[in-house]
Amino acid sequence: MSVQQVDREERPDVDKVYMSFVQALYGGGGWPLSVFLSPDLKPLMGGTYFPPNDNYGRPGFKTLLKKVKDAWDSKRDTLVKSGTYAIEELSKALSAKAVTDKLTDGLSQAAASICAKQLSRSYDSEFGGFGSAPKFPRPVEIQLMLYHSKKLKESEETSEADEVQSMVLFSLQGMANGGMHDHIGGGFHRYSVDECWHVPHFEKMLYDQGQLANVYLDGFIITKDVMYSYVARDILDYLRRDMIAPEGGIFSAEDADSFEFEGAKRKKEGAFYIWTSDEIDEVLVENADLFKEHYYVKKSGNCDLSSRSDPHNEFAGKNVLIERNELSAMASKFSLSIEKYQEILGECRRKLFNVRLKRPKPHLDDKIIVSWNGLVISSFARASKILKAEPESTKYSFPVVNSQPEDYLEVAEKAASFIRGNLYDEQSHRLQHSYRKGPSKAPAFLDDYAFLITGLLDLYENGGGIDCLKWAIELQDMQDELYLDREGGAYFNTQGQDPSVLLRVKEDHDGAEPSGNSVSAINLVRLASIVAGEKANSYLNTAQRLLAVFELRLREMAVAVPLMCCAADMISVPSRKQVVLVGSKSSAELNTMLSAAHSVYDPNKTVIHIDPSSSDEMEFWEEHNSNVAEMAKRNRNSEKVVALVCQHFTCSPPVFDSSSLTRLLSK
């Protein structure tokens, strides 16, 4: 018997095969995952965590090894046959085919509403979020609910729209106030073990940061409340400080466990992040009482808000920071202005941050994964324009850095450049999956292409160069070549060239990460609104057929595919709005107009910018969409940046200033 350890982030295709087996067999799964295989890699039996010795009513790993050996010796043929049968059945179930070329009439528009109703039934009105503990942020749910709220407003169903939106905003506030949010260093931990967003599993994952930054940016666009832009900045500034390689790629995770002190024998969950009351007294001195009351810090420890928070009493005497009181009420209690109160809190956080730096840090997983970088490229790019809508007087306290929004665009560009330079073959147009001291041997997966294309589209739409758009189209062509089931519709998650990977799956579940198929459907809709002619029709037909593959899922289990529900509605929109900006790339005015173009929440909008003095850009648009090239020619002599809003084959009269553009988009 040999043992092979597989990093599920490095080989998600291998993980998917055996996790599907365990889930089908036992009705659930998780990590770490242990599976016993036949010599030809068929699964025989498996499960999630097994303790070293028999404990908590579970067999220990040693006991399990003995049982597996006994079964292999006495029932080998039965085990092998059942493993082969399981893989055959899973293969049929996980590679569905479209019966028609598009969704049944009405389902495209209905899916988002079905999903929103299902989510609303699980809404936690006391603490926010959808479902019970453990609570995962699952940003795809937030995206769906915001999208649905927007559609309700367009249909003048205002009260229902407001109700849906309030669920989302209350949930975003709850997550930001809770202990799942790292108040001292920024960013979010993996999930909350309790219902009140308090005590987290302390791991920090890159895919959470990128998606959460995006939904907080959406919250800011909709409300113009700087609480949401603060949290978006908090996440992005954490990444800039702790998670970016010198060459620009962005690391994948930080562990939950670390040593409590130098020389400690074993690591403990959350040791880097939690505080005793005495530690805070020692560091903050005269401001300790204010800080402790604000963050619910107690001498006995504060993990007492729920029976789920600390069932094994691991955090006795320790505190996970959480905000439970209104800022204005707390400032008033200490006879301070809100501004002064926030300033004091910021200085307290800075002091604690500097003390925390002296503790042993959690392990940094310095893999650079293409798909997760794509998610974060998107949020950095969007922040560079959306945050320009913050009032000029806005000042944030630590851990936010108060950067100029344009600084975030540079981070997105550097990350994209790193991937292109290190994980992309310019000749074959193929990606590799990840990088650590060099590219991995694993080829890219569907998610790598799909998420990176999204990042590049957002990078272009927020001021990136035309090369972003060219590369996105190139990657989409290669994605279609490698993963698209041209006969049955939708995309497989792997290229199908590795015989040791026994299943080729069409993933649809939008969980902690969105599925590659959901993201691809939206990418195709977006690309179809950028290019014209046969290429645009081809993109839409591929997206229609993709969605048809998952018709049953959209109809009967919409809550499992919230982002795909958004895609289904997007494809049914008769005419996607186009904002076309014509002006010099080097003009500060173009940046101002780009910010205005992104200042109104509208997922069914495409922003195109073109510099008529650039031969490279003009050639691209002449080839891909001559209408855009024609608009540029007609407006090339304007001294100002010209904005046109086009829909239903007609364009508005040109406008020349950002406030006029914002008014036009708000109609």
Side-chain angles (χ1 to χ4, degrees):
M1 182 184 290
S2 65
V3 177
Q4 180 71 48
Q5 191 169 19
V6 178
D7 181 341
R8 68 185 177 94
E9 291 163 8
E10 185 73 21
R11 292 304 302 264
D13 54 337
V14 175
D15 174 67
K16 181 66 184 177
V17 172
Y18 299 112
M19 180 58 78
S20 297
F21 167 75
V22 168
Q23 287 173 328
L25 206 60
Y26 303 111
W31 297 278
L33 176 68
S34 299
V35 184
F36 297 89
L37 311 179
S38 66
D40 61 351
L41 305 179
K42 301 292 194 305
L44 308 175
M45 60 183 75
T48 56
Y49 175 71
F50 296 100
N53 301 301
D54 297 357
N55 208 347
Y56 302 118
R58 291 179 65 87
F61 205 73
K62 294 170 191 170
T63 303
L64 189 68
L65 287 173
K66 186 175 183 306
K67 287 186 175 179
V68 170
K69 183 184 183 305
D70 291 346
W72 183 250
D73 289 343
S74 60
K75 305 175 186 172
R76 183 173 307 189
D77 289 347
T78 305
L79 283 174
V80 171
K81 280 178 185 172
S82 68
T84 302
Y85 176 75
I87 288 295
E88 287 170 354
E89 290 303 301
L90 282 169
S91 182
K92 291 175 195 170
L94 297 173
S95 56
K97 295 188 176 184
V99 179
T100 59
D101 286 337
K102 61 180 183 178
L103 290 172
T104 305
D105 287 348
L107 183 57
S108 277
Q109 297 92 334
S113 178
I114 294 167
C115 185
K117 283 184 171 66
Q118 290 173 349
L119 283 172
S120 297
R121 285 198 288 272
S122 68
Y123 174 64
D124 181 344
S125 58
E126 185 175 1
F127 298 108
F130 303 96
S132 55
K135 271 188 176 169
F136 290 78
R138 207 174 171 217
V140 288
E141 295 176 341
I142 302 287
Q143 287 178 268
L144 177 282
M145 294 298 268
L146 288 177
Y147 185 93
H148 182 56
S149 174
K150 165 80 172 166
K151 297 294 286 188
L152 288 169
K153 283 177 185 170
E154 289 171 359
S155 305
E156 298 186 358
E157 296 174 67
T158 312
S159 61
E160 191 181 342
D162 290 344
E163 187 181 343
V164 171
Q165 184 175 299
S166 70
M167 290 182 197
V168 170
L169 298 179
F170 185 63
S171 300
L172 290 174
Q173 289 161 8
M175 288 191 285
N177 292 340
M180 198 177 76
H181 177 203
D182 179 3
H183 296 276
I184 301 300
F188 279 78
H189 300 295
R190 184 68 200 86
Y191 61 86
S192 171
V193 302
D194 53 43
E195 67 277 15
C196 43
W197 303 113
H198 184 201
V199 179
H201 171 50
F202 286 89
E203 188 177 25
K204 284 181 170 181
M205 305 300 299
L206 184 62
Y207 57 76
D208 284 325
Q209 315 308 326
Q211 293 179 89
L212 283 167
N214 264 333
V215 293
Y216 278 98
L217 287 169
D218 288 340
F220 173 66
I221 297 172
I222 291 164
T223 65
K224 299 299 185 278
D225 183 340
V226 293
M227 186 284 283
Y228 300 100
S229 61
Y230 170 87
V231 179
R233 282 177 175 270
D234 162 291
I235 296 166
L236 299 176
D237 288 348
Y238 152 66
L239 293 176
R240 286 204 304 171
R241 187 185 62 241
D242 289 351
M243 298 296 284
I244 299 182
E247 303 85 2
I250 306 173
F251 301 136
S252 61
E254 289 188 296
D255 280 1
D257 303 345
S258 58
F259 294 110
E260 282 190 286
F261 50 85
E262 296 294 345
K265 292 266 185 357
R266 67 184 187 89
K267 294 181 177 183
K268 287 190 175 181
E269 167 99 14
F272 185 71
Y273 300 101
I274 56 181
W275 301 88
T276 65
S277 178
D278 289 346
E279 284 173 324
I280 288 170
D281 286 337
E282 188 180 335
V283 176
L284 301 183
V285 195
E286 72 276 8
N287 289 319
D289 288 344
L290 179 152
F291 186 89
K292 288 195 294 185
E293 186 159 353
H294 185 87
Y295 285 108
Y296 186 60
V297 173
K298 302 199 297 185
K299 187 85 173 171
S300 58
N302 73 352
C303 299
D304 55 5
L305 294 175
S306 164
S307 59
R308 296 172 178 270
S309 297
D310 187 22
H312 304 300
N313 215 28
E314 295 172 71
F315 298 124
K318 303 292 175 69
N319 293 272
V320 177
L321 303 183
I322 180 171
E323 296 177 288
R324 301 184 67 214
N325 298 301
E326 285 290 329
L327 193 69
S328 56
M330 291 297 293
S332 176
K333 180 172 183 176
F334 285 89
S335 303
L336 295 165
S337 68
I338 290 176
E339 292 75 18
K340 184 63 180 175
Y341 185 78
Q342 287 177 312
E343 186 185 315
I344 291 169
L345 283 178
E347 278 309 305
C348 290
R349 290 192 294 262
R350 187 189 301 276
K351 286 177 181 177
L352 291 170
F353 176 83
N354 290 332
V355 168
R356 198 172 83 170
L357 281 180
K358 296 170 185 170
R359 296 174 176 177
K361 285 201 78 175
H363 170 72
L364 171 68
D365 185 344
D366 58 358
K367 284 194 305 297
I368 295 166
I369 296 173
V370 170
S371 56
W372 299 358
N373 271 250
L375 293 171
V376 174
I377 287 168
S378 170
S379 54
F380 273 109
R382 294 183 72 231
S384 74
K385 297 300 174 288
I386 290 169
L387 294 178
K388 287 196 170 187
E390 293 170 319
E392 281 186 26
S393 60
T394 307
K395 284 280 182 289
Y396 296 116
S397 51
F398 190 85
V400 167
V401 177
N402 286 300
S403 305
Q404 290 301 313
E406 281 303 311
D407 295 347
Y408 293 125
L409 188 70
E410 187 181 335
V411 178
E413 288 174 332
K414 279 187 76 174
S417 178
F418 177 86
I419 292 168
R420 186 153 199 166
N422 295 276
L423 289 164
Y424 182 67
D425 186 316
E426 296 284 356
Q427 273 69 51
S428 69
H429 295 177
R430 295 190 181 202
L431 289 165
Q432 295 297 111
H433 172 60
S434 65
Y435 183 99
R436 187 177 184 276
K437 298 178 181 175
S440 63
K441 291 177 183 175
F445 305 101
L446 171 62
D447 290 2
D448 294 309
Y449 282 85
F451 295 8
L452 180 56
I453 291 167
T454 296
L456 292 170
L457 292 175
D458 284 330
L459 186 47
Y460 168 74
E461 289 198 32
N462 287 276
I466 198 71
D467 283 347
C468 299
L469 212 43
K470 290 179 181 176
W471 193 22
I473 290 169
E474 212 169 83
L475 287 169
Q476 187 63 57
D477 289 345
M478 184 50 61
Q479 179 184 313
D480 290 354
E481 183 179 320
L482 296 174
Y483 305 96
L484 182 61
D485 180 354
R486 294 190 182 275
E487 184 185 336
Y491 294 96
F492 292 107
N493 66 338
T494 63
Q495 297 173 23
Q497 295 169 342
D498 184 346
S500 69
V501 180
L502 305 181
L503 288 178
R504 203 173 179 213
V505 175
K506 292 178 185 175
E507 183 66 73
D508 63 351
H509 179 63
D510 296 318
E513 299 172 64
S515 79
N517 274 298
S518 297
V519 173
S520 294
I522 293 173
N523 288 344
L524 290 163
V525 172
R526 292 177 71 181
L527 285 165
S529 74
I530 291 169
V531 304
E534 282 306 307
K535 189 90 168 170
N537 291 336
S538 173
Y539 287 144
L540 287 175
N541 290 338
T542 302
Q544 292 273 24
R545 196 156 167 73
L546 182 162
L547 292 166
V549 170
F550 303 108
E551 168 146 353
L552 194 63
R553 190 81 145 155
L554 287 162
R555 189 184 298 283
E556 296 185 359
M557 191 54 74
V559 74
V561 289
L563 196 64
M564 192 172 285
C565 292
C566 295
D569 188 89
M570 284 178 181
I571 208 163
S572 73
V573 172
S575 178
R576 192 174 169 88
K577 194 177 287 181
Q578 288 178 316
V579 182
V580 181
L581 304 176
V582 181
S584 170
K585 180 89 166 105
S586 58
S587 159
E589 202 182 337
L590 179 64
N591 271 332
T592 304
M593 293 292 259
L594 276 168
S595 298
H598 292 286
S599 66
V600 176
Y601 175 77
D602 186 357
N604 286 305
K605 172 185 70 189
T606 297
V607 178
I608 291 169
H609 53 91
I610 178 167
D611 183 346
S613 67
S614 165
S615 57
D616 194 27
E617 292 190 32
M618 290 301 289
E619 281 171 23
F620 174 86
W621 290 109
E622 289 282 11
E623 180 186 348
H624 290 93
N625 191 335
S626 59
N627 290 333
V628 173
E630 199 56 44
M631 286 185 220
K633 286 176 190 171
R634 282 201 301 269
N635 295 283
R636 72 181 306 151
N637 296 320
S638 173
E639 293 177 7
K640 293 181 171 244
V641 174
V642 179
L644 303 106
V645 178
C646 306
Q647 199 170 17
H648 303 296
F649 307 106
T650 59
C651 294
S652 66
V655 295
F656 304 94
D657 63 273
S658 57
S659 55
S660 297
L661 177 57
T662 303
R663 278 197 301 276
L664 198 55
L665 292 171
S666 299
K667 283 183 181 176

